[in-house]
Amino acid sequence: MDGARLTAAEGIAAPASPAPPKIHLRDASKRFAGLRGGTPTLALDRVSLEVAEGELVCLLGPSGCGKSTVLNLVAGFETPSSGSVTVDGRPVGAPGPERAVVFQQPQLFPWLSVLDNITFGPRMAGVPERVYRPEAERYVRLIGLTGFERHAPYHLSGGMRQRAALARAWIGNPRVLLMDEPFAALDAQTRLTMQELLLGLRRQTGTTILFVTHDVDEALFLADRILVMGSRPGRVTAEIRVPSSDARDVDGFLDDPVLMALRRDVVRLVREEARKAHAHQPNS
Ligand SMILES: Nc1ncnc2c1ncn2[C@@H]1O[C@H](COP(=O)(O)OP(=O)(O)OP(=O)(O)O)[C@@H](O)[C@H]1O
Ligand SMILES: [Mg+2]
């Protein structure tokens, strides 16, 4: 029987073993060696978290609590010192095209045009131009860069560059998108446009997204679930489920008393973690 089995007692169909979480950290710790024999840093201490297929989870917390380290473990840029990190139930070994990463500073090749940057992945993978070209043109339209395809990145504003980076990440149809404060350097209006673009793309593709931010409003606007992290050592200290994240719009968001109450709670949690982190500073 496909995907279900009959329970002997009741004779009803029950689902077979559920699909593993898309992203799963189990007691993952990360210790970085100290520089020149200095004290090592325990960046993550037995962090466990799960992200389900198609879910958008935000990691929120004070500077240095290990948010980027979590992302780097899932991306395969780092390996855990102990514990495990799996995607689709398989241990993450190395970076792979099914896990795209978008950083705070758009990582575009300065010598390539916008279009060549966007199509870099498929071209390197040997995808024929007749396949990737229409896709690239669709993304260029979607991100509002029509007319700028032949421009070099240094001719674009920061927001335009970040849009190109998002299209480059998206064109490979990644099943997992890892975003490390991707909109932090943008002005408020561009940030909002980018957030709406991200939610729109995600609705179309069902991509699983792990998103790092410092910004409580951004987390509430985007996330299905927020994981608050604390530092020294980095760990997850609270989990907040955000109601009705589908078809969000920013005005409705600001008018929603449930979300605004949640916002107060999240701000309090983050402030508390920041206060604790500050109290642990050697010179505080
Ligand atoms: N490659 C590395 N070598 C040594 N220590 C590191 C390395 N990467 C991170 N760390 C340390 O691990 C801890 C967590 O760093 P991480 O960059 O994950 O924090 P973060 O939450 O992303 O901070 P921010 O919000 O400032 O970006 C910090 O104390 C940092 O100094
Ligand atoms: Mg970081």
Side-chain angles (χ1 to χ4, degrees), residues 32-33 41 43 61-69 78 181 214:
F32 290 108
T41 304
S63 184
C65 70
K67 304 180 295 296
S68 296
T69 304
E78 302 278 6
E181 306 200 46
H214 273 109

Side-chain angles (χ1 to χ4, degrees), residues 71-80 85 87 90-103 174 176 178:
L71 227 66
N72 290 340
L73 289 175
V74 181
F77 299 146
E78 302 278 6
T79 49
V85 180
V87 171
R90 287 184 292 278
V92 169
E98 75 292 352
R99 279 162 288 135
V101 186
V102 179
F103 301 93
V176 171
L178 305 166

Side-chain angles (χ1 to χ4, degrees), residues 42 53 64 96 128 160 165 189 193 206:
L42 183 58
E53 171 102 53
M160 292 162 95
Q189 186 50 52
T193 310

Side-chain angles (χ1 to χ4, degrees), residues 139-276:
Y139 278 112
V140 165
R141 267 197 312 279
L142 213 61
I143 59 170
L145 285 182
T146 306
F148 293 91
E149 298 90 332
R150 292 283 151 221
H151 283 54
Y154 55 83
H155 284 146
L156 306 182
S157 71
M160 292 162 95
R161 266 182 247 158
Q162 194 56 295
R163 279 187 266 162
L166 191 59
R168 188 171 70 172
W170 221 284
I171 197 170
N173 194 23
R175 297 317 301 148
V176 171
L177 188 58
L178 305 166
M179 308 186 83
D180 198 350
E181 306 200 46
F183 309 146
L186 305 178
D187 65 88
Q189 186 50 52
T190 311
R191 188 179 315 144
L192 184 58
T193 310
M194 294 296 291
Q195 289 164 347
E196 289 176 332
L197 182 65
L198 179 68
L199 287 180
L201 284 170
R202 181 230 181 182
R203 262 196 299 279
Q204 290 174 21
T205 58
T207 303
T208 306
I209 302 175
L210 189 55
F211 190 107
V212 168
T213 180
H214 273 109
D215 182 341
V216 172
D217 287 338
E218 179 165 73
L220 280 167
F221 186 52
L222 295 176
D224 300 313
R225 206 149 50 86
I226 299 171
L227 299 176
V228 177
M229 293 183 67
S231 53
R232 291 165 203 278
R235 69 220 181 284
V236 175
T237 56
E239 177 190 68
I240 298 108
R241 200 166 281 282
V242 186
S244 67
S245 57
D246 275 354
R248 240 175 235 166
D249 75 88
V250 76
D251 300 324
F253 172 76
L254 291 171
D255 289 340
D256 186 329
V258 176
L259 282 177
M260 286 302 105
L262 207 54
R263 181 178 190 278
R264 273 196 299 280
D265 294 344
V266 179
V267 167
R268 202 172 302 129
L269 284 165
V270 173
R271 279 224 186 101
E272 179 62 11
E273 290 306 335
R275 193 190 57 71
K276 282 193 234 158

